[in-house]
Amino acid sequence: MEGTAKGKKGKKDRLIAYRRTGNESATRLFFLPYAGKGASGYREIADSFGPEVEPVLLQTPGRENRLAEPAVDDIDALVTQLATALRGHLDAPFALFGHSMGSLVAFELAAHLERTEPGLPGPVALFVSAESAPHLLVPPEVTDEQLTDEQFLADPTRVRENSPLRTDPLFLELMLPSYRADCRLVERYAARRSHTSVSCPISAFTGEYDEVVPPESVAGWKQHTTDRFRLRMLPSGEEAFFEPESFPLITAGVESDLRAARQP
């Protein structure tokens, strides 16, 4: 099966960065970008799925081919944009997948589609990865708005030592505004202490030895669904999601959970 990236896009199609067609009964799986990265961050794992999954990589403003657009630093505004742009793409059973910040956006998008979009279907499942449950998020004492760029870059809790923001001047110039917007989005969301829940199943992936977002924090997502919850451990640390040996575990878990979610 050949993966196809959409070629020339109209304004309304900029959201879809990549789609790989599945079989006739495939579940459409939308991927939401994580902080500081665009749709391409999911490309390798997207191409690891079998034909029963149709991966669709979404591109939000402020990254890659949408770099000229300002990144959205408010989750409600971003979710509203996404729901509007996705209206023409929800004509098949679908699920949402988010890693890190993308987990929060996917979760709020799922809740939005379930509750406030008459005539639009909700997702059959939600997949989150390497992110604490919303009610466990704690906003920082010093917010992004209070920091200069130099202070932001010097803060190891915001920018890791090996981040390209520290090592690649061109990346820094291009991506710092968007990355800071992503950080503001998460900080503002954390301050809300959200207790929203969804009615679809949630499956969560976590690195077994992740010390940044420990498994017990990821397990807290159980409180945010009225349906089934599944916690899947990946045998690694905080970079578990990006390690090639994790891909078969992730794809097999997603495929299994999607089959279960679509059973009557």
Side-chain angles (χ1 to χ4, degrees):
M1 179 166 37
E2 182 179 356
T4 58
K6 296 297 182 182
K8 186 177 180 180
K9 301 182 180 70
K11 185 175 182 180
K12 292 184 179 179
D13 294 326
R14 287 177 301 177
L15 182 67
I16 308 299
Y18 175 78
R19 169 182 284 160
R20 197 204 63 193
T21 306
N23 61 31
E24 291 184 359
S25 60
T27 303
R28 197 164 288 164
L29 184 59
F30 294 104
F31 287 81
L32 282 302
Y34 45 96
K37 189 68 176 180
S40 65
Y42 290 118
R43 180 62 185 267
E44 190 171 358
I45 195 165
D47 285 334
S48 300
F49 285 101
E52 61 193 272
V53 175
E54 180 182 318
V56 183
L57 310 188
L58 302 182
Q59 195 77 282
T60 51
R63 56 206 80 217
E64 296 180 355
N65 63 306
R66 302 186 69 180
L67 188 61
E69 303 172 57
V72 182
D73 60 8
D74 178 82
I75 199 167
D76 292 330
L78 181 57
V79 163
T80 299
Q81 287 185 22
L82 288 166
T84 299
L86 283 173
R87 281 183 175 273
H89 301 282
L90 304 182
D91 55 344
F94 71 93
L96 303 173
F97 193 115
H99 173 72
S100 191
M101 181 196 81
S103 300
L104 306 176
V105 179
F107 171 63
E108 289 296 329
L109 177 59
H112 181 90
L113 292 173
E114 287 183 348
R115 298 176 181 177
T116 62
E117 288 289 330
L120 289 183
V124 299
L126 170 66
F127 297 91
V128 298
S129 167
E131 183 58 87
S132 298
H135 70 283
L136 297 177
L137 296 173
V138 178
E141 293 184 5
V142 179
T143 65
D144 178 84
E145 286 91 344
Q146 296 173 291
L147 299 175
T148 65
D149 285 347
E150 291 74 17
Q151 291 170 329
F152 178 86
L153 290 168
D155 186 345
T157 65
R158 288 178 164 90
V159 182
R160 297 179 185 177
E161 186 175 347
N162 62 347
S163 169
L165 290 171
R166 292 179 184 267
T167 60
D168 186 336
L170 179 59
F171 184 87
L172 172 65
E173 179 182 357
L174 293 175
M175 286 304 300
L176 182 59
S178 295
Y179 185 68
R180 292 200 66 172
D182 291 342
C183 290
R184 287 193 298 274
L185 181 148
V186 175
E187 290 176 8
R188 292 169 178 174
Y189 183 69
R192 286 165 41 172
R193 308 293 294 191
S194 173
H195 294 280
T196 303
S197 63
V198 293
S199 59
C200 65
I202 296 180
S203 297
F205 293 93
T206 179
E208 186 176 2
Y209 311 110
D210 191 338
E211 296 180 355
V212 177
V213 185
E216 56 267 28
S217 295
V218 182
W221 282 95
K222 183 177 182 179
Q223 296 188 28
H224 294 274
T225 177
T226 58
D227 204 304
R228 298 184 302 272
F229 174 77
R230 178 72 181 264
L231 180 66
R232 295 183 180 276
M233 296 283 193
L234 303 175
S236 188
E238 62 187 88
E239 297 296 320
F241 180 80
F242 303 101
E243 296 177 0
E245 55 266 32
S246 294
F247 291 173
L249 301 175
I250 296 170
T251 55
V254 169
E255 290 169 353
S256 174
D257 291 346
L258 286 178
R259 285 192 294 269
R262 293 191 60 182
Q263 288 177 353

